[in-house]
Amino acid sequence: MNNLIKNIVKTDNNWGVLALRVPVGIILAAHGAQKLFGWFGGYGLEGTGQWMASIGIEPGVLMAFLAGSAEFFGGIALILGLLTRPAALVSAFTMVIAIVAVHLPNGLFMSNNGYEFGLSLLAASIALVQLGGGTASVDRLLEKRFQ
């Protein structure tokens, strides 16, 4: 079990990851809060669920809950650098679903509700899966504890 935890929290002694991890975490957490709680002009769980059902992602409320939770809790985890690799992996998966199910038919650009924003978050999430939390992370503290 210790080896599993070591592999999950393993990270480089790198400050640069902080510049990627925190803004991506903030963006994801904010989007999740829109879906779950209706914060920041979002529609909340019920409204987001109805929209998801209307585009064929069903059951809508459950899918809204899963997407919102992945974004909100994953974003908080990324901000803290807590279980960065799993949080980033779940975020990457969520972005793939968003790109394929919602944005891909609209082309690249955000002005047409395209996939460029989701693609950026996907790329950043994949990078974080590879890099881990970096120096300024809870993962780094956990890694030291399990050495």
Side-chain angles (χ1 to χ4, degrees):
M1 186 62 148
N2 271 354
N3 283 337
L4 176 63
I5 294 170
K6 282 182 193 178
N7 288 333
I8 289 173
V9 299
K10 183 179 180 189
T11 186
D12 293 336
N13 191 14
N14 183 334
W15 283 94
V17 177
L18 185 67
L20 181 61
R21 189 171 45 81
V22 171
V24 169
I26 290 169
I27 292 165
L28 287 169
H31 279 267
Q34 287 180 312
K35 289 174 181 71
L36 293 175
F37 314 120
W39 298 351
F40 312 116
Y43 298 109
L45 197 53
E46 200 59 42
T48 303
Q50 288 173 1
W51 172 76
M52 285 188 162
S54 78
I55 63 167
I57 302 173
E58 299 218 42
V61 173
L62 176 61
M63 294 298 118
F65 175 75
L66 293 173
S69 294
E71 291 174 351
F72 182 74
F73 295 109
I76 297 296
L78 291 180
I79 292 166
L80 298 172
L82 174 63
L83 304 174
T84 302
R85 292 175 195 279
L89 185 62
V90 170
S91 298
F93 179 76
T94 304
M95 289 304 104
V96 168
I97 299 300
I99 290 167
V100 171
V102 178
H103 301 289
L104 195 60
N106 301 319
L108 175 66
F109 297 105
M110 284 177 52
S111 60
N112 297 325
N113 197 28
Y115 60 88
E116 76 177 306
F117 184 65
L119 183 63
S120 298
L121 291 174
L122 173 61
S125 296
I126 290 170
L128 289 169
V129 169
Q130 294 295 312
L131 296 168
T135 301
S137 68
V138 175
D139 285 349
R140 185 75 171 144
L141 298 173
L142 291 172
E143 181 183 32
K144 288 178 182 179
R145 182 166 187 251
F146 286 99
Q147 282 182 344

